[in-house]
Amino acid sequence: MSDKKVLTIQDISCVGQCSLTVALPIISACGIETAILPSAVLSTHTGGFTGYTFRDLSSDMPAIAEHWKKEGIRFDAVYTGYLGSIDQIEYVQAIMDETLVPGGLRIVDPAMADHGSLYYGFTAEFASRMGGLCGIADIALPNITEACFMTGIPYEEDRADKAYVESLLDGMTALGAKCVVLKGVSFEPGKLGVAVRLDGRTDYYFHERLEKNSHGTGDVYASAFVGSLMQGYSVYEAAGIAADFTVESMKKTAGDESHWYGVKFEKALPGLVQRVNRG
Ligand code: PXL
């Protein structure tokens, strides 16, 4: 059996523990070869820093893809995160079509919003186009805010019931996503988790809710999910492994007020390596 290879397309935030600086180490730690395509280079992420630089790499993408085509380079999965422009959404679709092996997986984390708002720089038009990308995804990994923006369902901060979650899952499925892993689901105080919609059925995975919201946890989650899935765990198992790893990373960060910009996932990596790698 040949080992699986993943391509991940998202930005490099040079400092801040998100996007490629977490995806590459985490998926690699799962024992999976990881190729990267940077969508943009920022001096830091946009969540709390000011005055960051931003270089859009959209125009490099077609030539990179063309080179890979000539070399016959293929991937078992393409996992996308934060994308820097609407053009990139189009390029990403073409790159998926050209580089995936038959049956290869399109995994889309719409990484564009949280807590009811779009991240700085994104527009409703971008969110709608991202809905199109999730629509061709084998697996989409939105949080509740992102699912709201893409489905048009109003965001309700304090809504914590199954009917709301099911309507978001239905909406994502109606866009075309074959499987949806919805993050940030909570039905009772002290518990947080994910809802996994696959083949018309919804399963939940809950864990303890930690006090503090941390930056970059969506990327940590999606990366551990992709790494576990490519190691052969089921979608539901990978959703649980990723949740446990994210909580562990947050626990390793708790109490260090100077570390507000991300989570210390590095400290939790040994546990992930142990748990995910199969011989
Ligand atoms: O973690 C998502 C993310 C990725 N990349 C950049 C970001 C953010 C969230 O703010 O700013 C550049």
Side-chain angles (χ1 to χ4, degrees):
M1 184 200 87
S2 70
D3 292 323
K4 298 270 192 257
K5 253 188 259 175
V6 173
L7 167 66
T8 182
I9 310 177
Q10 42 191 318
D11 70 283
I12 297 179
S13 287
C14 299
V15 168
Q17 288 180 307
C18 69
S19 38
L20 281 183
T21 67
V22 314
L24 184 52
I26 292 173
I27 303 171
S28 300
C30 293
I32 303 299
E33 180 178 343
T34 312
I36 61 166
L37 179 47
S39 57
V41 179
L42 295 84
S43 49
T44 64
H45 63 61
T46 67
F49 294 101
T50 50
Y52 46 82
T53 68
F54 183 100
R55 180 171 299 276
D56 181 355
L57 297 180
S58 303
S59 60
D60 289 310
M61 285 186 164
I64 291 173
E66 193 52 37
H67 180 214
W68 288 348
K69 201 169 164 184
K70 285 205 185 99
E71 295 284 343
I73 290 167
R74 291 279 180 276
F75 304 102
D76 299 286
V78 175
Y79 150 45
T80 66
Y82 182 105
L83 299 177
S85 69
I86 286 177
D87 284 349
Q88 286 187 2
I89 296 176
E90 311 271 315
Y91 292 147
V92 158
Q93 295 198 19
I95 289 169
M96 287 170 163
D97 292 343
E98 284 165 10
T99 65
L100 277 170
V101 299
L105 294 177
R106 293 164 169 80
I107 304 175
V108 178
D109 176 354
M112 62 181 175
D114 209 355
H115 310 297
S117 315
L118 289 168
Y119 295 147
Y120 185 81
F122 289 124
T123 59
E125 163 72 3
F126 182 93
S128 149
R129 301 290 279 271
M130 186 56 92
L133 186 60
C134 284
I136 61 146
D138 294 291
I139 306 172
L141 297 133
N143 60 34
I144 290 189
T145 302
E146 289 156 348
C148 286
F149 274 105
M150 291 186 286
T151 59
I153 295 169
Y155 176 76
E156 295 180 54
E157 179 81 48
D158 298 321
R159 187 90 189 263
D161 58 87
K162 263 195 184 160
Y164 189 50
V165 167
E166 289 292 336
S167 71
L168 291 168
L169 294 170
D170 289 344
M172 291 300 301
T173 304
L175 288 177
K178 293 191 188 69
C179 169
V180 184
V181 178
L182 183 67
K183 300 171 290 182
V185 171
S186 182
F187 296 140
E188 53 177 307
K191 292 246 181 279
L192 188 68
V194 293
V196 179
R197 169 71 68 83
L198 181 60
D199 296 332
R201 137 187 189 152
T202 309
D203 289 298
Y204 292 90
Y205 183 85
F206 288 105
H207 53 79
E208 66 186 294
R209 181 200 274 272
L210 302 179
E211 281 292 302
K212 223 171 127 260
N213 288 316
S214 302
H215 196 277
T217 48
D219 301 343
V220 168
Y221 182 89
S223 303
F225 174 85
V226 169
S228 309
L229 189 76
M230 299 315 286
Q231 269 292 4
Y233 291 89
S234 70
V235 168
Y236 183 74
E237 287 168 332
I241 292 170
D244 294 345
F245 175 64
T246 307
V247 170
E248 200 49 35
S249 301
M250 291 168 79
K251 284 185 176 168
K252 299 283 187 200
T253 319
D256 183 350
E257 292 306 317
S258 68
H259 205 97
W260 57 270
Y261 50 83
V263 290
K264 300 184 185 182
F265 72 90
E266 302 87 352
K267 308 276 185 241
L269 274 183
L272 185 71
V273 170
Q274 284 274 318
R275 185 169 177 191
V276 171
N277 284 273
R278 305 174 188 251

